Protein backbone atom coordinates (compact mmCIF):
# COMPACT_ATOMS: atom_id res chain seq x y z
CA UNK A 1 0.00 0.00 0.00
CA UNK A 2 1.32 3.40 -0.97
CA UNK A 3 0.35 6.25 1.34
CA UNK A 4 1.11 9.78 0.18
CA UNK A 5 0.02 12.76 2.25
CA UNK A 6 -0.76 15.82 0.15
CA UNK A 7 -1.94 19.31 0.97
CA UNK A 8 -4.41 19.58 -1.93
CA UNK A 9 -5.76 17.34 -4.67
CA UNK A 10 -4.36 17.50 -8.17
CA UNK A 11 -6.72 19.45 -10.48
CA UNK A 12 -7.83 16.30 -12.33
CA UNK A 13 -8.44 14.52 -9.02
CA UNK A 14 -10.57 17.41 -7.71
CA UNK A 15 -12.53 17.62 -10.97
CA UNK A 16 -13.29 13.89 -10.91
CA UNK A 17 -14.30 14.02 -7.24
CA UNK A 18 -16.64 16.99 -7.49
CA UNK A 19 -18.24 15.92 -10.78
CA UNK A 20 -18.74 12.31 -9.78
CA UNK A 21 -21.21 10.55 -7.57
CA UNK A 22 -24.77 11.35 -6.67
CA UNK A 23 -26.06 14.11 -4.45
CA UNK A 24 -26.14 12.00 -1.28
CA UNK A 25 -24.68 13.23 2.01
CA UNK A 26 -20.99 12.48 2.54
CA UNK A 27 -18.56 12.49 5.44
CA UNK A 28 -14.97 13.43 4.77
CA UNK A 29 -12.43 11.71 7.02
CA UNK A 30 -9.31 13.88 7.28
CA UNK A 31 -6.07 12.30 8.46
CA UNK A 32 -3.91 15.34 9.20
CA UNK A 33 -0.14 15.76 9.50
CA UNK A 34 1.14 19.13 10.71
CA UNK A 35 4.38 20.95 9.97
CA UNK A 36 6.68 21.45 12.95
CA UNK A 37 6.68 25.19 12.27
CA UNK A 38 4.03 27.12 10.38
CA UNK A 39 5.18 28.56 7.06
CA UNK A 40 3.07 31.47 5.87
CA UNK A 41 3.69 32.58 2.28
CA UNK A 42 4.24 36.17 3.43
CA UNK A 43 6.70 35.12 6.16
CA UNK A 44 4.42 36.25 8.99
CA UNK A 45 3.62 34.38 12.19
CA UNK A 46 7.10 32.87 12.40
CA UNK A 47 6.56 31.73 15.99
CA UNK A 48 3.55 29.52 15.32
CA UNK A 49 3.65 25.76 15.12
CA UNK A 50 1.91 24.02 12.25
CA UNK A 51 -0.73 22.76 14.68
CA UNK A 52 -1.40 26.32 15.90
CA UNK A 53 -1.75 27.64 12.36
CA UNK A 54 -4.12 24.80 11.47
CA UNK A 55 -6.17 25.54 14.60
CA UNK A 56 -6.82 29.02 13.16
CA UNK A 57 -8.10 27.38 9.99
CA UNK A 58 -10.23 24.95 12.02
CA UNK A 59 -11.94 27.79 13.88
CA UNK A 60 -13.06 29.35 10.60
CA UNK A 61 -13.85 26.20 8.66
CA UNK A 62 -16.55 25.09 11.10
CA UNK A 63 -18.60 28.16 10.15
CA UNK A 64 -17.94 27.54 6.44
CA UNK A 65 -19.16 23.95 6.76
CA UNK A 66 -22.28 25.08 8.64
CA UNK A 67 -22.99 27.73 5.98
CA UNK A 68 -23.51 24.98 3.37
CA UNK A 69 -25.63 22.83 5.69
CA UNK A 70 -22.86 20.58 6.97
CA UNK A 71 -21.32 20.00 10.36
CA UNK A 72 -18.03 19.13 11.93
CA UNK A 73 -18.65 15.66 13.37
CA UNK A 74 -15.36 14.94 15.16
CA UNK A 75 -11.89 16.25 15.73
CA UNK A 76 -9.26 14.56 17.87
CA UNK A 77 -5.55 13.92 18.29
CA UNK A 78 -4.12 10.60 17.14
CA UNK A 79 -2.74 8.83 20.20
CA UNK A 80 -1.70 5.44 18.86
CA UNK A 81 -2.30 2.58 16.46
CA UNK A 82 -3.92 -0.71 17.40
CA UNK A 83 -4.04 -2.56 14.07
CA UNK A 84 -1.72 -2.25 11.11
CA UNK A 85 1.48 -0.39 10.57
CA UNK A 86 2.43 2.93 9.04
CA UNK A 87 5.78 4.64 8.83
CA UNK A 88 4.51 7.69 10.65
CA UNK A 89 1.18 8.34 12.37
CA UNK A 90 -1.00 11.31 11.51
CA UNK A 91 -1.34 14.01 14.15
CA UNK A 92 -5.10 14.47 14.10
CA UNK A 93 -8.32 13.07 12.66
CA UNK A 94 -11.27 15.28 11.72
CA UNK A 95 -14.60 14.23 10.24
CA UNK A 96 -16.84 16.73 8.43
CA UNK A 97 -20.32 15.96 7.11
CA UNK A 98 -21.70 17.67 4.00
CA UNK A 99 -25.20 17.41 2.51
CA UNK A 100 -23.56 16.59 -0.86
CA UNK A 101 -20.40 16.94 -2.92
CA UNK A 102 -22.00 20.03 -4.48
CA UNK A 103 -22.31 21.62 -1.03
CA UNK A 104 -18.66 20.84 -0.28
CA UNK A 105 -17.66 22.33 -3.64
CA UNK A 106 -19.67 25.49 -2.90
CA UNK A 107 -17.89 25.78 0.44
CA UNK A 108 -14.37 25.51 -0.96
CA UNK A 109 -15.23 28.13 -3.59
CA UNK A 110 -16.69 30.62 -1.07
CA UNK A 111 -14.79 33.84 -0.25
CA UNK A 112 -15.06 33.01 3.46
CA UNK A 113 -13.31 29.68 2.94
CA UNK A 114 -10.71 31.15 0.61
CA UNK A 115 -9.86 33.76 3.27
CA UNK A 116 -8.85 31.10 5.82
CA UNK A 117 -6.94 28.69 3.57
CA UNK A 118 -3.68 30.54 4.29
CA UNK A 119 -3.75 29.04 7.80
CA UNK A 120 -4.35 25.53 6.43
CA UNK A 121 -1.49 25.88 3.96
CA UNK A 122 0.82 27.32 6.63
CA UNK A 123 0.19 24.55 9.13
CA UNK A 124 -0.57 21.40 7.17
CA UNK A 125 2.28 19.20 5.98
CA UNK A 126 -0.18 16.89 4.25
CA UNK A 127 -3.24 14.75 4.69
CA UNK A 128 -5.39 11.95 3.42
CA UNK A 129 -8.95 13.07 2.72
CA UNK A 130 -11.27 10.06 2.50
CA UNK A 131 -14.84 10.34 1.26
CA UNK A 132 -17.39 8.11 3.01
CA UNK A 133 -21.12 7.59 2.70
CA UNK A 134 -23.55 6.17 5.21
CA UNK A 135 -24.62 2.76 3.91
CA UNK A 136 -27.99 3.02 5.61
CA UNK A 137 -28.85 6.25 3.74
Amino acid sequence: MIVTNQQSPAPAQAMAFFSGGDDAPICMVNLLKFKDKATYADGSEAGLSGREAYARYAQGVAACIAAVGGKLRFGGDVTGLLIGEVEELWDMVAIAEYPSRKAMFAMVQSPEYQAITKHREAGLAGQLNICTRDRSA
Side-chain angles (χ1 to χ4, degrees):
M1 176 186 302
I2 297 171
V3 177
T4 305
N5 287 325
Q6 292 182 315
Q7 231 187 38
S8 299
Q13 189 177 25
M15 182 179 279
F17 177 81
F18 286 117
S19 64
D22 54 29
D23 238 9
I26 60 171
C27 282
M28 298 302 293
V29 178
N30 299 270
L31 303 178
L32 307 165
K33 188 69 179 165
F34 302 122
K35 296 175 184 174
D36 291 331
K37 292 187 62 106
T39 53
Y40 283 87
D42 64 3
S44 66
E45 307 290 347
L48 285 183
S49 70
R51 181 182 291 273
E52 291 167 327
Y54 192 86
R56 290 180 177 185
Y57 165 78
Q59 287 175 348
V61 80
C64 293
I65 293 168
V68 297
K71 59 181 114 177
L72 186 59
R73 286 287 199 181
F74 174 81
D77 293 335
V78 173
T79 61
L81 188 65
L82 174 63
I83 298 175
E85 184 177 335
V86 294
E87 235 177 77
E88 190 175 355
L89 285 177
W90 291 271
D91 297 317
M92 184 177 179
V93 174
I95 301 173
E97 181 180 343
Y98 298 92
S100 65
R101 290 176 194 239
K102 287 180 186 177
M104 184 181 174
F105 184 72
M107 182 200 75
V108 299
Q109 296 298 311
S110 73
E112 295 81 8
Y113 181 82
Q114 291 299 314
I116 62 171
T117 59
K118 65 181 178 183
H119 303 299
R120 181 183 177 280
E121 292 164 4
L124 192 61
Q127 75 178 80
L128 294 182
N129 197 232
I130 304 165
C131 183
T132 66
R133 191 171 120 184
D134 185 348
R135 294 184 81 178
S136 64

